[in-house]
Short mmCIF file of all heavy atoms in Angstrom, two decimals:
data_model
loop_
_atom_site.label_atom_id
_atom_site.label_comp_id
_atom_site.label_asym_id
_atom_site.label_seq_id
_atom_site.Cartn_x
_atom_site.Cartn_y
_atom_site.Cartn_z
N GLY A 234 8.29 16.57 -73.34
CA GLY A 234 8.18 17.78 -74.12
C GLY A 234 6.95 18.55 -73.68
O GLY A 234 5.84 18.02 -73.75
N ILE A 235 7.14 19.76 -73.20
CA ILE A 235 6.03 20.58 -72.71
C ILE A 235 5.95 21.84 -73.57
O ILE A 235 6.91 22.61 -73.65
CB ILE A 235 6.20 20.96 -71.23
CG1 ILE A 235 6.39 19.70 -70.38
CG2 ILE A 235 5.00 21.76 -70.74
CD1 ILE A 235 6.73 19.99 -68.93
N LEU A 236 4.80 22.03 -74.20
CA LEU A 236 4.56 23.19 -75.05
C LEU A 236 3.47 24.03 -74.39
O LEU A 236 2.43 23.50 -73.99
CB LEU A 236 4.11 22.75 -76.45
CG LEU A 236 4.97 21.67 -77.13
CD1 LEU A 236 4.38 21.31 -78.49
CD2 LEU A 236 6.42 22.13 -77.27
N ARG A 237 3.69 25.34 -74.30
CA ARG A 237 2.72 26.23 -73.63
C ARG A 237 2.49 27.47 -74.48
O ARG A 237 3.41 27.99 -75.13
CB ARG A 237 3.23 26.64 -72.24
CG ARG A 237 3.49 25.49 -71.27
CD ARG A 237 3.95 26.03 -69.93
NE ARG A 237 4.41 25.01 -69.01
CZ ARG A 237 3.65 24.45 -68.05
NH1 ARG A 237 2.38 24.82 -67.93
NH2 ARG A 237 4.14 23.55 -67.22
N TYR A 238 1.26 27.96 -74.41
CA TYR A 238 0.92 29.20 -75.10
C TYR A 238 -0.13 29.93 -74.28
O TYR A 238 -1.12 29.33 -73.85
CB TYR A 238 0.38 28.92 -76.51
CG TYR A 238 0.09 30.18 -77.30
CD1 TYR A 238 1.07 30.76 -78.10
CD2 TYR A 238 -1.15 30.79 -77.22
CE1 TYR A 238 0.82 31.92 -78.83
CE2 TYR A 238 -1.41 31.96 -77.93
CZ TYR A 238 -0.42 32.52 -78.73
OH TYR A 238 -0.69 33.67 -79.44
N GLY A 239 0.09 31.24 -74.11
CA GLY A 239 -0.89 32.05 -73.41
C GLY A 239 -0.46 32.38 -72.00
O GLY A 239 0.53 31.88 -71.47
N SER A 240 -1.24 33.25 -71.37
CA SER A 240 -0.94 33.70 -70.01
C SER A 240 -1.27 32.62 -69.00
O SER A 240 -1.95 31.63 -69.31
CB SER A 240 -1.76 34.95 -69.69
OG SER A 240 -3.14 34.61 -69.59
N ASN A 241 -0.82 32.82 -67.77
CA ASN A 241 -1.12 31.85 -66.72
C ASN A 241 -2.61 31.78 -66.41
O ASN A 241 -3.08 30.82 -65.80
CB ASN A 241 -0.35 32.21 -65.45
CG ASN A 241 1.14 31.94 -65.59
OD1 ASN A 241 1.61 31.51 -66.64
ND2 ASN A 241 1.89 32.18 -64.53
N ASP A 242 -3.38 32.79 -66.82
CA ASP A 242 -4.82 32.79 -66.56
C ASP A 242 -5.59 31.91 -67.54
O ASP A 242 -6.67 31.43 -67.22
CB ASP A 242 -5.37 34.22 -66.63
CG ASP A 242 -4.82 35.11 -65.52
OD1 ASP A 242 -4.54 34.57 -64.44
OD2 ASP A 242 -4.66 36.31 -65.76
N ASP A 243 -5.06 31.73 -68.74
CA ASP A 243 -5.75 30.94 -69.77
C ASP A 243 -4.70 30.39 -70.72
O ASP A 243 -4.43 30.94 -71.78
CB ASP A 243 -6.77 31.81 -70.52
CG ASP A 243 -7.55 31.01 -71.57
OD1 ASP A 243 -7.42 29.77 -71.58
OD2 ASP A 243 -8.28 31.63 -72.36
N GLN A 244 -4.12 29.28 -70.31
CA GLN A 244 -2.96 28.76 -71.03
C GLN A 244 -3.26 27.41 -71.68
O GLN A 244 -3.87 26.54 -71.07
CB GLN A 244 -1.79 28.59 -70.06
CG GLN A 244 -0.50 28.15 -70.73
CD GLN A 244 0.58 27.83 -69.72
OE1 GLN A 244 0.70 26.70 -69.25
NE2 GLN A 244 1.37 28.84 -69.36
N GLN A 245 -2.80 27.28 -72.91
CA GLN A 245 -2.75 25.96 -73.54
C GLN A 245 -1.46 25.28 -73.10
O GLN A 245 -0.39 25.90 -73.11
CB GLN A 245 -2.76 26.08 -75.06
CG GLN A 245 -4.08 26.53 -75.66
CD GLN A 245 -3.95 26.78 -77.15
OE1 GLN A 245 -3.40 27.81 -77.54
NE2 GLN A 245 -4.42 25.86 -77.97
N ALA A 246 -1.57 24.01 -72.73
CA ALA A 246 -0.38 23.24 -72.37
C ALA A 246 -0.51 21.86 -73.00
O ALA A 246 -1.51 21.17 -72.82
CB ALA A 246 -0.24 23.12 -70.85
N LEU A 247 0.51 21.49 -73.75
CA LEU A 247 0.54 20.20 -74.43
C LEU A 247 1.77 19.46 -73.95
O LEU A 247 2.89 20.01 -73.99
CB LEU A 247 0.59 20.42 -75.95
CG LEU A 247 0.49 19.18 -76.84
CD1 LEU A 247 -0.92 18.61 -76.79
CD2 LEU A 247 0.85 19.54 -78.29
N LEU A 248 1.60 18.24 -73.49
CA LEU A 248 2.72 17.44 -72.98
C LEU A 248 2.81 16.14 -73.76
O LEU A 248 1.80 15.46 -73.96
CB LEU A 248 2.55 17.15 -71.49
CG LEU A 248 3.67 16.31 -70.83
CD1 LEU A 248 3.89 16.77 -69.39
CD2 LEU A 248 3.33 14.82 -70.81
N ILE A 249 4.01 15.81 -74.19
CA ILE A 249 4.30 14.51 -74.80
C ILE A 249 5.26 13.77 -73.88
O ILE A 249 6.34 14.26 -73.56
CB ILE A 249 4.92 14.65 -76.20
CG1 ILE A 249 3.95 15.36 -77.14
CG2 ILE A 249 5.30 13.28 -76.75
CD1 ILE A 249 2.67 14.61 -77.40
N LYS A 250 4.85 12.57 -73.45
CA LYS A 250 5.71 11.77 -72.58
C LYS A 250 6.56 10.84 -73.43
O LYS A 250 6.07 9.87 -74.01
CB LYS A 250 4.87 10.95 -71.60
CG LYS A 250 5.75 10.17 -70.62
CD LYS A 250 4.96 9.18 -69.82
CE LYS A 250 5.89 8.36 -68.93
NZ LYS A 250 5.21 7.21 -68.33
N ALA A 251 7.84 11.14 -73.48
CA ALA A 251 8.79 10.29 -74.19
C ALA A 251 9.94 9.96 -73.26
O ALA A 251 11.11 9.97 -73.64
CB ALA A 251 9.29 11.00 -75.45
N ALA A 252 9.60 9.71 -72.01
CA ALA A 252 10.59 9.46 -70.96
C ALA A 252 10.78 7.96 -70.76
O ALA A 252 10.12 7.13 -71.38
CB ALA A 252 10.13 10.12 -69.66
N SER A 253 11.69 7.62 -69.83
CA SER A 253 11.93 6.22 -69.51
C SER A 253 10.76 5.66 -68.70
O SER A 253 9.82 6.37 -68.37
CB SER A 253 13.24 6.07 -68.73
OG SER A 253 13.17 6.76 -67.50
N GLN A 254 10.83 4.39 -68.36
CA GLN A 254 9.70 3.71 -67.74
C GLN A 254 9.30 4.31 -66.40
O GLN A 254 8.14 4.36 -66.06
CB GLN A 254 10.00 2.21 -67.57
CG GLN A 254 8.90 1.40 -66.93
CD GLN A 254 7.63 1.32 -67.76
OE1 GLN A 254 7.66 1.64 -68.95
NE2 GLN A 254 6.53 0.90 -67.16
N GLY A 255 10.28 4.79 -65.61
CA GLY A 255 9.94 5.34 -64.30
C GLY A 255 9.88 4.28 -63.21
O GLY A 255 9.12 4.42 -62.25
N MET A 256 10.65 3.20 -63.39
CA MET A 256 10.73 2.11 -62.40
C MET A 256 9.34 1.53 -62.12
O MET A 256 8.47 1.52 -62.98
CB MET A 256 11.45 2.60 -61.15
CG MET A 256 12.87 3.09 -61.43
SD MET A 256 13.93 3.29 -59.97
CE MET A 256 13.14 4.65 -59.14
N GLY A 257 9.12 1.06 -60.90
CA GLY A 257 7.89 0.35 -60.59
C GLY A 257 6.63 1.18 -60.67
O GLY A 257 5.53 0.64 -60.81
N HIS A 258 6.76 2.50 -60.59
CA HIS A 258 5.59 3.36 -60.66
C HIS A 258 5.30 3.82 -62.10
O HIS A 258 4.40 4.62 -62.32
CB HIS A 258 5.77 4.59 -59.76
CG HIS A 258 5.63 4.26 -58.31
ND1 HIS A 258 4.46 3.79 -57.76
CD2 HIS A 258 6.53 4.33 -57.29
CE1 HIS A 258 4.64 3.59 -56.46
NE2 HIS A 258 5.88 3.91 -56.15
#
């Protein structure tokens, strides 16, 4: 889940990782 607010010059970005394991990495 990626939440963003603001222009590309000064942006808030919040990420929640609720994905699968991603194998060995």
Side-chain angles (χ1 to χ4, degrees):
I235 305 173
L236 311 178
R237 300 182 188 264
Y238 183 91
S240 69
N241 289 2
D242 294 329
D243 182 8
Q244 184 187 89
Q245 289 173 284
L247 186 70
L248 180 145
I249 298 296
K250 183 190 176 191
S253 63
Q254 180 65 15
M256 301 195 293
H258 286 297

